[in-house]
Amino acid sequence: MDLATTRALTSPEGLALLEGLRPYAEASSLATSTALRRDGHSPELVAAVLTQSRLRQRGRAKLGDAVDRLLLTPDGLEQATRPQVARQHAERLVAAGIRTVHDLGCGLGLDAAAMAEAGLEVLAVDADPVTAELAGHNLAQVPLPAGTPAPQVRCARAEEVADEGVGAGRHTAVWLDPARRTPGVADATGRTRRTFRLDDLAPSWELVQEVAGRVRAAGAKLSPAFPHAARPVGAEAQWVSWRGEVVECVLWWGDAARWAGRTALVMDGDAATLGSAHVVTEADLPDDGPAPGSDRGELLHEPDRAVIRAGLVGALEALTGGAELDEGVGYVRSPDGGQVGVPWARTYRILDEIPLQDKAIRAWCRERSIGDLTLKKRGVDADPDRLRRSLKLRGDGRATLVLTRQSGRPVALHVTPV
């Protein structure tokens, strides 16, 4: 979509056309396109409104009902922050005493919207003219608290804005969301290739750190694959999960950093509240370091993926009196009688141990007439789909097997939730 088509889309005519569409259906999209063009609408505008209808349908699970007032791009939707997570970002900055935020690389404006709703003055930029135009539309829909200035959006490169002395004010912060996609040929859905390398960020990783170091508070939204060793001295690196999916790693500097080192934020509650969020920090780790791998104990604990990404499985060991099955697998095994009900972990009772071999598992399933088998895998080179096909399951029994590594050897653990 070029800039001219974008402006046609955001015009009263374009928006009315979009709002008048029925929910998107691929089977009827050609007929809809033909009918709209017959009514005199340009092919470019028709394609744009149908794309928006399709993107809104795709984005509803991620963005909720807010998607109905947004204009989207494939890449922008992919990188957009969930509203619940964006509110956490905004709350951090408000708690740090911030009044004005420079959003460098605002994308479609989801974080900027949460910050404006929290009462912060938002000055946003994006280097892509189409994205900046859509962000301006999206931010104009935000309900603002009394006295909050309307968010401002302009098309500019973060490098240019940084040179203007961004963040000089006492109550000013910087929020950065560097592009994590490689420009070039898009796939069939319109999305470009995702990158996980810090060297490929735009603006650059060096500029992100330089700008963050000159302001009172700063945050940078990065990939969940952010390497622990790259965390700048003094910054907090927080891995965030939403309902079990790790969605980002955010670096916080200055007054926005609440805990030292690595942390995990587990968000698993009602979309309307943030009250069920749980934080795990390095302070929760045992003083004597990680426990040796364990093959004893009746309970198996599975921490949230954000805790694993943050390298904080030791906090679960400390709470349960257990030990990780093997280095890096994430699962913790503990004796019965240890703490159960850790809010950011699932607990299972271990009923049986089976060698991680097709023949042994097949025999085990046949003896118990297992026809419905759930397979969970971590830390081993095993293909659950291939294994399931080889088992030729028959019967009315049900079971869950955890395929993992225990004390250096592959194993299948038969478990049931506690």
Side-chain angles (χ1 to χ4, degrees):
M1 185 165 61
D2 59 23
L3 187 57
T5 304
T6 302
R7 287 174 174 163
L9 174 64
T10 57
S11 70
E13 176 197 359
L15 293 174
L17 190 62
L18 173 59
E19 300 309 324
L21 293 179
R22 294 180 178 180
Y24 183 82
E26 187 66 36
S28 60
S29 61
L30 180 58
T32 302
S33 174
T34 302
L36 293 177
R37 293 174 65 175
R38 189 184 301 122
D39 289 341
H41 301 290
S42 72
E44 294 80 11
L45 181 57
V46 170
V49 296
L50 286 174
T51 296
Q52 288 302 312
S53 181
R54 175 171 53 82
L55 290 174
R56 284 180 173 183
Q57 182 186 70
R58 184 197 302 170
R60 187 169 299 279
K62 181 177 185 178
L63 303 179
D65 291 342
V67 78
D68 291 328
R69 66 173 186 262
L70 299 175
L71 296 179
L72 309 166
T73 64
D75 282 351
L77 175 58
E78 185 79 10
Q79 196 164 330
T81 306
R82 287 164 175 77
Q84 302 86 357
V85 179
R87 286 200 293 272
Q88 286 277 12
H89 301 159
E91 287 179 3
R92 276 250 192 170
L93 297 177
V94 170
I98 297 304
R99 297 174 187 168
T100 301
V101 182
H102 291 268
D103 187 345
L104 306 186
C106 65
L108 295 174
L110 274 296
D111 276 302
M115 293 169 189
E117 284 186 285
L120 298 173
E121 179 183 19
V122 177
L123 307 173
V125 301
D126 199 276
D128 178 64
V130 168
T131 301
E133 192 81 14
L134 296 182
H137 167 85
N138 293 339
L139 290 173
Q141 317 305 311
V142 176
L144 301 175
T148 302
Q152 299 178 33
V153 183
R154 66 178 171 129
C155 181
R157 297 174 66 242
E159 294 84 349
E160 299 168 357
V161 177
D163 288 340
E164 297 174 2
V166 161
R170 179 182 174 188
H171 299 286
T172 301
V174 171
W175 174 256
L176 302 111
D177 187 354
R180 299 191 296 277
R181 288 189 172 275
T182 303
V185 179
D187 63 16
T189 67
R191 292 173 293 183
T192 52
R193 182 173 61 85
R194 183 182 296 185
T195 179
F196 298 98
R197 289 166 37 88
L198 289 176
D199 291 344
D200 293 336
L201 295 180
S204 71
W205 176 228
E206 290 73 18
L207 182 69
V208 168
Q209 296 177 85
E210 192 276 322
V211 172
R214 72 163 87 138
V215 294
R216 173 177 173 177
K221 175 185 171 183
L222 302 172
S223 162
F226 179 79
H228 293 180
R231 180 182 64 84
V233 175
E236 174 192 349
Q238 183 169 84
W239 281 261
V240 181
S241 67
W242 171 251
R243 294 180 175 172
E245 177 188 0
V246 186
V247 295
E248 64 184 22
C249 174
V250 177
L251 294 187
W252 296 103
W253 286 264
D255 290 352
R258 292 179 177 174
W259 298 277
R262 293 169 282 112
T263 67
L265 175 65
V266 180
M267 300 178 65
D268 58 359
D270 185 340
T273 178
L274 302 176
S276 61
H278 306 283
V279 177
V280 184
T281 75
E282 289 190 44
D284 298 316
L285 297 174
D287 295 333
D288 52 358
S294 173
D295 56 5
R296 297 182 179 181
E298 298 80 14
L299 300 180
L300 185 72
H301 310 274
E302 180 184 19
D304 183 88
R305 292 178 183 273
V307 176
I308 297 174
R309 285 276 195 173
L312 298 174
V313 174
L316 186 57
E317 294 178 324
L319 284 172
T320 62
E324 194 172 11
L325 288 178
D326 208 7
E327 184 177 0
V329 301
Y331 289 110
V332 170
R333 188 165 183 170
S334 75
D336 205 350
Q339 180 170 339
V340 178
V342 177
W344 41 267
R346 295 180 179 178
T347 300
Y348 304 87
R349 184 169 300 280
I350 299 173
L351 304 177
D352 205 354
E353 296 184 25
I354 313 155
L356 187 44
Q357 302 166 358
D358 289 16
K359 183 177 180 180
I361 296 175
R362 188 181 303 116
W364 185 90
C365 289
R366 286 178 178 173
E367 288 176 7
R368 293 157 180 79
S369 298
I370 301 298
D372 185 354
L373 183 64
T374 299
L375 296 174
K376 299 170 65 69
K377 184 198 84 163
R378 187 177 297 137
V380 290
D381 184 16
D383 183 346
D385 292 333
R386 184 207 60 78
L387 174 60
R388 189 186 306 278
R389 289 193 300 268
S390 75
L391 297 178
K392 300 177 181 178
L393 299 171
R394 294 185 182 87
D396 56 6
R398 295 183 177 182
T400 297
L401 294 183
V402 175
L403 314 180
T404 187
R405 197 174 65 248
Q406 178 175 259
S407 301
R409 58 185 175 86
V411 65
L413 301 177
H414 177 208
V415 300
T416 187
V418 172

